[in-house]
Amino acid sequence: ATYGLSTGKAAEFYLVSGAKDTIEFARDTFKNNDIIVWGRSIGAAVATQAFMQKQNIASRLVLTSPWTNCYDAAV
């Protein structure tokens, strides 16, 4: 399945990969600044995975209204 006008395929790997690339871009662009990863709602899962893999770059993880369990995420 595609999203919007994208010709790519939606997949967890690409979401997390894009988030990790964004963390690296922020590090390269904003040298000498703390990098804070923020995820909201279902995006909290992507933010958490990217942060866990880039803890050497990002200093903080902020989650706004993440789901509390798998049932809440599915409903």
Side-chain angles (χ1 to χ4, degrees):
T2 60
Y3 180 77
L5 300 177
S6 171
T7 58
K9 293 187 176 188
E12 178 183 354
F13 171 82
Y14 297 117
L15 290 171
V16 175
S17 179
K20 292 188 309 185
D21 289 346
T22 301
I23 292 170
E24 292 174 2
F25 173 81
R27 175 204 54 205
D28 296 342
T29 304
F30 303 104
K31 294 176 182 4
N32 304 319
N33 288 287
D34 287 339
I35 304 301
I36 300 170
V37 177
W38 174 61
R40 180 178 177 275
S41 190
I42 197 78
V46 174
T48 300
Q49 285 187 40
F51 176 79
M52 294 302 293
Q53 295 178 33
K54 294 295 179 180
Q55 287 184 56
N56 61 320
I57 297 173
S59 60
R60 302 281 187 271
L61 173 65
V62 176
L63 303 177
T64 303
S65 53
W67 36 270
T68 55
N69 58 51
C70 290
Y71 177 78
D72 288 346
V75 174

